[in-house]
Amino acid sequence: MSNRILVALAATAILVAGGGTAIAGECPAGQTLTKARDLADAPDIGVDRPILSTVDLTGWRGMGNFMLRLRKLTIAPHGVVPTHAHNDRPSIVHIVEGEIVEHNAFCAVPIIHKPGDTTPESGAGHIHWWENTTDKPVVIFSTDVVPFEKQKESMM
């Protein structure tokens, strides 16, 4: 992953998070796996994910046909963001409202994310899914770098 993409993602995350929000909701100590575990193929249930804004990165500092995309995900009570990978789609997620559980291939136990948590998502083998186990909606801002041609695909 180029430093240019990471800098763009970091700048967007700071704007979305409002400044000095720390990364939280990490895999608990002693539960990180060195080899990815198999995850269930979780379905897409009750997730609204409109695109709020995009930035055309095409040609910026030698980049190809990419965009920086900001989405607002609202996960309904007991909703599920389906199993997906971030091998070639770096993302930063910021939890705005509610509590959500992440099932990550490199963590032996579920990870709890709370309002104010920010988490990077990238790298080989980064596969996960999220579930809202509460009776209230969860709101997440997600910023990622995607090729323009993938914009039309259903990307989690």
Side-chain angles (χ1 to χ4, degrees), residues 46-112:
V47 182
D48 184 41
R49 49 177 77 80
I51 296 171
L52 300 179
S53 188
T54 61
V55 174
D56 184 351
L57 298 175
T58 304
W60 178 70
R61 297 188 178 194
M63 288 194 66
N65 191 23
F66 291 91
M67 78 169 90
L68 179 62
R69 174 177 69 174
L70 174 63
R71 296 181 296 164
K72 178 182 179 183
L73 281 70
T74 303
I75 301 98
H78 307 287
V80 175
V81 177
T83 306
H84 60 283
H86 288 273
N87 296 335
D88 66 347
R89 184 172 58 92
S91 176
I92 298 175
V93 171
H94 179 73
I95 313 306
V96 176
E97 182 179 316
E99 183 175 290
I100 193 156
V101 178
E102 176 187 3
H103 301 273
N104 188 304
F106 282 100
C107 189
V109 297
I111 304 167
I112 308 298

Side-chain angles (χ1 to χ4, degrees), residues 118-135:
T118 300
T119 182
E121 303 174 323
S122 69
H126 187 101
I127 300 168
H128 64 163
W129 61 280
W130 302 69
E131 67 177 321
N132 178 358
T133 59
T134 74
D135 292 326

